Amino acid sequence: MNRMTDKRCMIWGAGFLMAALGLQLLARNVSGMGTWYAHHVYSVIVGIVGRFFGIFPFSVVEIGLYLLVFGFIVYGARFWREPVRVASRAVLLGGFLLFSYTCNCGINYYATSFSQYEGLEVGMYSGDELRQLCEFLVERVNETAVGETYRENPGEWRREGVGAMRKAGESFPALGGFYPEPKEVTVSWILSVQQLCGIYSPFTIEANFNGDMPDYNIPHTLCHELSHLKGFMREDEANFIGYLACVGSKRQAFRYSGYLTGWVYAGNALAGVDRESYIELHEKLCDQAKEDLRENNAFWDKYEGKVAEVSNQMNDVYLKVNDQKDGVKSYGRMVDLMLGYYQKNERDAPCEQ
């Protein structure tokens, strides 16, 4: 009986693995398959699975991870004399998880990009255009700077993450629809040591975030992670969507988060081509922004180490496997997206209050 069960587990596990591989090959090689899937299949999965796990006030995937590790230790200790049994269950679980990841995340990497949906042209920009964007961001940062903290209004901030994304959906139809409330992980240290602000769970369709990081990071992270639930998996686009949702929010703390995050990306790019202009503009930042940036650097510096290095290398490999060929360097493309959007929409627009 045990041998029959072991065989069934191996067959089912291999079936899940083959199905995942087949879907990956289709997404990579059949034009339009990823886009069709994101809007006709994945959107339904989000509506069902996302709604279900959204009922729980805690991160289900986080608790599931702890239970999985505990179960693996207990099961392995009990049946270590039966390696075929342990291996067959591991193949079944691994196959199922890979299949779930493929269905709820992997295929979406080959869908139409957000910039294509919105007709946003991303091209080459001059140093002067980059400086203009940075000047704009510094002005908006100073106008929206606020001392509000996440711990003062955690529930309101999480709900506003959903509200900001829904509001963005009014201007950008590709972002419209249902969003579950993002969830703070209970043990944020796990994300901090990996230098992670947040993480999307494809197994439970949850947007998780690090509640220990400096407050200005949190609104942008909420919107970034929620953007993955619309099928936009590329990190540069998720960063840009997070920026758009934040600066369009009705809550000042969110607008401040978006503009300051935008300044960090654009300012770093400016520092690489025009150091003097960067220093000049950095000095124009208000005291609140300068303090928030110092606090941010000090926070992440505490977690520099081997774990963070390995995590970054793994993330780099993960991005390249999913056809983001520049790896972690693709994060810098957010600046091009901001430049394209600024040139098209914001250059002459007044600040929203």
Side-chain angles (χ1 to χ4, degrees):
M1 184 65 179
N2 285 339
R3 290 183 179 178
M4 183 64 69
T5 302
D6 294 342
K7 184 176 180 181
R8 287 173 179 169
C9 287
M10 293 292 286
I11 292 173
W12 275 99
F16 280 126
L17 289 170
M18 293 301 295
L21 177 61
L23 288 171
Q24 284 278 350
L25 290 173
L26 284 173
R28 292 166 185 254
N29 295 287
V30 178
S31 177
M33 190 273 190
T35 300
W36 178 88
Y37 184 90
H39 292 280
H40 293 87
V41 180
Y42 177 66
S43 60
V44 175
I45 294 174
V46 170
I48 297 174
V49 179
R51 285 181 191 278
F52 174 73
F53 286 110
I55 295 172
F56 301 91
F58 54 86
S59 173
V60 177
V61 72
E62 180 188 12
I63 303 303
L65 175 63
Y66 303 149
L67 292 176
L68 182 63
V69 172
F70 177 75
F72 178 80
I73 294 173
V74 172
Y75 196 85
R78 182 177 179 183
F79 298 106
W80 66 274
R81 290 188 177 89
E82 302 179 49
V84 175
R85 177 173 185 154
V86 175
S88 64
R89 272 60 172 184
V91 169
L92 175 59
L93 178 61
F96 176 74
L97 291 177
L98 181 60
F99 178 74
S100 297
Y101 162 81
T102 299
C103 291
N104 300 338
C105 180
I107 297 175
N108 293 334
Y109 277 100
Y110 306 95
T112 299
S113 68
F114 177 75
S115 55
Q116 288 177 296
Y117 272 117
E118 301 304 331
L120 186 62
E121 295 184 7
V122 178
M124 301 295 290
Y125 298 96
S126 68
D128 286 340
E129 289 172 319
L130 178 58
R131 180 188 169 92
Q132 289 172 13
L133 171 63
C134 289
E135 289 174 343
F136 165 81
L137 291 170
V138 168
E139 291 175 1
R140 295 301 195 257
V141 165
N142 293 343
E143 290 168 349
T144 57
V146 62
E148 181 184 0
T149 66
Y150 168 66
R151 291 302 166 194
E152 291 174 342
N153 300 292
E156 291 182 15
W157 277 35
R158 292 194 296 269
R159 287 189 290 273
E160 178 55 24
V162 173
M165 291 299 292
R166 287 177 175 170
K167 187 172 185 295
E170 296 173 6
S171 301
F172 307 99
L175 301 178
F178 165 76
Y179 290 95
E181 191 171 301
K183 300 176 180 180
E184 177 183 355
V185 297
T186 304
V187 186
S188 290
W189 173 85
I190 293 177
L191 295 183
S192 296
V193 295
Q194 299 178 73
Q195 303 272 296
L196 294 176
C197 296
I199 189 167
Y200 160 71
S201 164
F203 310 111
T204 53
I205 317 294
E206 292 176 297
N208 300 276
F209 69 96
N210 182 343
D212 288 347
M213 62 185 172
D215 294 293
Y216 97 81
N217 271 318
I218 292 179
H220 179 264
T221 299
L222 300 182
C223 297
H224 169 117
E225 299 304 333
L226 286 173
S227 73
H228 292 319
L229 276 74
K230 292 302 162 187
F232 301 112
M233 307 311 301
R234 298 176 178 87
E235 293 300 313
D236 52 358
E237 295 216 322
N239 276 332
F240 179 60
I241 292 170
Y243 166 81
L244 291 178
C246 280
V247 301
S249 170
K250 63 182 181 181
R251 199 176 191 98
Q252 186 171 330
F254 274 64
R255 297 199 298 276
Y256 174 62
S257 175
Y259 286 126
L260 188 53
T261 300
W263 155 256
V264 170
Y265 281 94
N268 286 340
L270 181 64
V273 298
D274 188 348
R275 186 72 181 177
E276 291 184 3
S277 291
Y278 168 77
I279 294 173
E280 176 189 339
L281 290 175
H282 184 274
E283 287 303 309
K284 292 182 178 180
L285 287 170
C286 65
D287 291 340
Q288 176 69 53
K290 290 179 181 178
E291 178 59 30
D292 284 337
L293 292 176
R294 282 193 293 267
E295 179 187 353
N296 184 66
N297 290 334
F299 176 82
W300 295 111
D301 285 347
K302 291 188 301 182
Y303 297 101
E304 287 285 355
K306 194 64 178 177
V307 174
E309 180 182 341
V310 171
S311 176
N312 187 63
Q313 291 173 349
M314 291 176 64
N315 190 37
D316 185 64
V317 172
Y318 169 79
L319 294 173
K320 289 177 178 176
V321 166
N322 285 290
D323 211 34
Q324 297 186 73
K325 295 183 174 58
D326 289 338
V328 292
K329 292 181 181 179
S330 68
Y331 286 64
R333 293 177 186 169
M334 179 188 174
V335 177
D336 289 334
L337 291 168
M338 286 195 298
L339 278 163
Y341 183 76
Y342 172 72
Q343 295 292 328
K344 182 179 179 181
N345 299 281
E346 293 187 314
R347 182 166 51 184
D348 302 315
C351 178
E352 291 186 24
Q353 296 292 338

